[in-house]
């Protein structure tokens, strides 16, 4: 199973910014699309951003214009720059490969995630 490690979360005031990092030792990292998911208390996990092998991004409407996903294949790392944060962005954030397959219901192993808390 592929193991991802998420980091960079924290407590921030509304309007603030955070940059999350997702890394893995998996040597096929560079040939997989990667997605950032989040799960708020009492809600289902949702895909918020994805990046293709070639670097093309895709965003959920709720974060479009505020979040930016990028990848550095040399470092086996995907980033999520989050700006203009809102209390509704409060959640545990996870990353994983093949995000659209997961979104369609495929089983996936998950890391521990990183907590993002946005205060009003």
């Amino acid at each position: 199973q592929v193991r991802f490690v998420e980091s960079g979360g924290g407590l921030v005031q509304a309007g603030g910014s955070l940059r999350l990092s997702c890394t893995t030792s998996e040597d096929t990292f560079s040939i997989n699309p990667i997605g950032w998911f989040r799960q708020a208390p009492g809600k289902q996990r949702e895909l918020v951003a994805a990046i293709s092998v070639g670097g093309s991004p895709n965003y959920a409407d709720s974060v479009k214009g505020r979040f930016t996903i990028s990848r550095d294949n040399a470092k086996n790392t995907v980033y999520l720059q989050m700006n203009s944060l809102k209390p509704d962005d409060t959640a545990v954030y996870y990353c994983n490969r093949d995000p659209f397959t997961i979104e369609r219901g495929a089983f996936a192993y998950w890391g521990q995630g990183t907590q993002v808390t946005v205060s009003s």
Side-chain angles (χ1 to χ4, degrees), residues 10-18 83-87 89 117-120:
L11 173 63
V12 63
Q13 288 188 330
S17 299
L18 285 172
N83 299 328
S84 302
L85 282 162
K86 305 175 182 179
D89 295 319
T117 303
V118 184
S119 63
S120 57

Side-chain angles (χ1 to χ4, degrees), residues 53-65:
V53 171
S56 297
N58 190 285
Y59 301 99
D61 288 343
S62 59
V63 306
K64 203 170 291 184

Side-chain angles (χ1 to χ4, degrees), residues 74-91:
K75 296 182 179 180
N76 274 17
T77 301
V78 170
Y79 303 98
L80 186 67
Q81 178 66 44
M82 306 187 297
N83 299 328
S84 302
L85 282 162
K86 305 175 182 179
D88 283 350
D89 295 319
T90 295

Side-chain angles (χ1 to χ4, degrees), residues 27-76:
D27 58 7
T28 60
F29 174 86
S30 64
I31 62 171
N32 285 295
I34 304 293
W36 278 101
F37 298 77
R38 68 185 181 189
Q39 187 167 21
K43 295 187 177 181
Q44 287 190 326
R45 191 160 7 216
E46 62 171 344
L47 177 63
V48 296
I51 189 164
S52 70
V53 171
S56 297
N58 190 285
Y59 301 99
D61 288 343
S62 59
V63 306
K64 203 170 291 184
R66 301 188 297 122
F67 290 12
T68 302
I69 189 170
S70 61
R71 67 190 297 161
D72 185 339
N73 289 335
K75 296 182 179 180
N76 274 17

